[in-house]
Amino acid sequence: MRIFGKVRHRPSASWRQATDRAFTLIGDGRYEDAGALLTRAADLEPWLSESWFNLALLHKFRHDWEQARAAGLRAVALLDRESGAPDWWNVGIAATALQDWPLARRAWQAYGLKVPGSGQHSAATTEPTGMELGSAAVRLSPEGEAEVVWGRRLDPARIEVLSIPLPSSGRRWGEVVLHDGVPNGERVTAAGPAYPVFDEIELWAPSPVPTWVVLLEAATEDDRDALEKLASDAGFAAEDWSSSVRLLCRDCSESRMESDEGDGEHLDPHDHSEPGHPGPLGHRTAGAGDLWVPERECGLAAPAGLVRGLLDGWVADSPDSREWRDLEEVC
């Protein structure tokens, strides 16, 4: 097969050695040294799409989106298959990071995805909305104190965070994060569907809504649920961290995990926190036989001017069974 007048051939031993060494350096976080080797590999074999794919991958790791887009476009220009190549996915991520919507649309279509409105000239320059990719989980701060939260996929490279993240993640409810293309784990719900877990690359759009933590006295689960509904009806969110947070080791987090352990009183074998210590990073999975604990640690996502009013309104609806204290802004 000839590409631009050159015969496609197997890469040389020098190319393979430089590339293998580069990826070892990438694993050690030595991106500058790896970049020099991958640039050398591209000089040795400029007709190989893999040369430019590897450079695009490195630039993605470095969040150098201009260079990632440039290298990615050189890679796809040398492809010998019609669709489904990961080269196009990396181009789509870089284009999304740069808000280059025409290229993002082209990348997702070339990969084999349907992008609504791409045939209309007026829509071709806008965000690729309406792809209906559904829900997914995203691992925030994957290289730090990683936390998996739920979100809504806006397109193949972005998720809007719908959980209330813990303050250690540095992320807020309603933020949009750019994420990688290959899932790194899976969450299975009690109803059966499995949802991929994607790793965050970087924050794409911040949220102006602060995160608060508050201690509740909620006599029943219905009392707790009433606060979550009140916040949702106001356009914001509340989340009972005493029920929703589990501390997992890295291997468990990156595997196929059940998000609801089902009925019965038991200790979640994947929960590596200490039993009997509810709250963030120390939660014992509750089964149907467990007694309800009225004291709950709750995360709230709401503006400063509204949060106390929400809590006071929640208490006013049932003052005998509800109380709050120790409200603190944490992120």
Side-chain angles (χ1 to χ4, degrees), residues 83-108:
S83 64
D87 310 65
W88 276 114
W89 200 283
N90 280 340
V91 170
I93 292 174
T96 301
L98 295 168
Q99 299 186 44
D100 182 348
W101 302 125
L103 179 58
R105 286 173 170 272
R106 177 185 165 205
W108 305 134

Side-chain angles (χ1 to χ4, degrees), residues 1-9 47 77-80:
M1 179 177 186
R2 293 180 178 274
I3 303 176
F4 299 142
K6 298 288 184 179
V7 177
R8 184 176 177 86
H9 57 276
W47 307 106
L78 296 167
L79 287 175
D80 55 5

Side-chain angles (χ1 to χ4, degrees), residues 61-62 110 155 252 309:
F61 294 151
R62 299 174 63 185
D155 58 37
C252 289

Side-chain angles (χ1 to χ4, degrees), residues 23-57:
F23 277 94
T24 298
L25 293 172
I26 287 173
D28 294 335
R30 296 171 58 185
Y31 293 147
E32 293 295 333
D33 294 336
L37 285 171
L38 290 178
T39 299
R40 179 182 171 220
D43 289 339
L44 288 170
E45 303 284 357
W47 307 106
L48 280 178
S49 63
E50 291 89 343
S51 295
W52 303 105
F53 172 82
N54 293 336
L55 270 172
L57 201 61

Side-chain angles (χ1 to χ4, degrees), residues 1 16 38 40 54 60 92 95 102 122 132 189 214 216 253 270-271:
M1 179 177 186
R16 293 196 298 272
L38 290 178
R40 179 182 171 220
N54 293 336
K60 181 184 73 172
S122 60
E132 298 183 355
T189 64
V214 64
L216 305 179
S253 178
H270 299 285
D271 189 335

Side-chain angles (χ1 to χ4, degrees), residues 215-221 223-224 240 242 291-297 314 321-323 325:
L215 287 178
L216 305 179
E217 286 290 335
T220 67
E221 291 185 63
D223 288 308
R224 184 273 316 276
D240 180 6
S242 295
L291 295 176
W292 174 256
V293 178
E295 183 174 285
R296 320 297 296 176
E297 189 169 49
W314 172 70
S321 62
R322 302 172 188 175
E323 187 180 344
R325 69 180 190 277

Side-chain angles (χ1 to χ4, degrees), residues 248-311:
L248 304 177
C249 70
R250 189 182 189 93
D251 287 343
C252 289
S253 178
E254 295 178 357
S255 66
R256 181 182 173 91
M257 290 289 300
E258 293 184 2
S259 61
D260 185 346
E261 296 298 327
D263 296 334
E265 184 174 2
H266 62 279
L267 184 65
D268 178 358
H270 299 285
D271 189 335
H272 300 280
S273 57
E274 295 181 18
H277 294 277
L281 304 185
H283 169 61
R284 183 180 186 277
T285 302
D290 290 339
L291 295 176
W292 174 256
V293 178
E295 183 174 285
R296 320 297 296 176
E297 189 169 49
C298 180
L300 277 167
L306 180 65
V307 64
R308 286 175 176 81
L310 278 174
L311 289 166

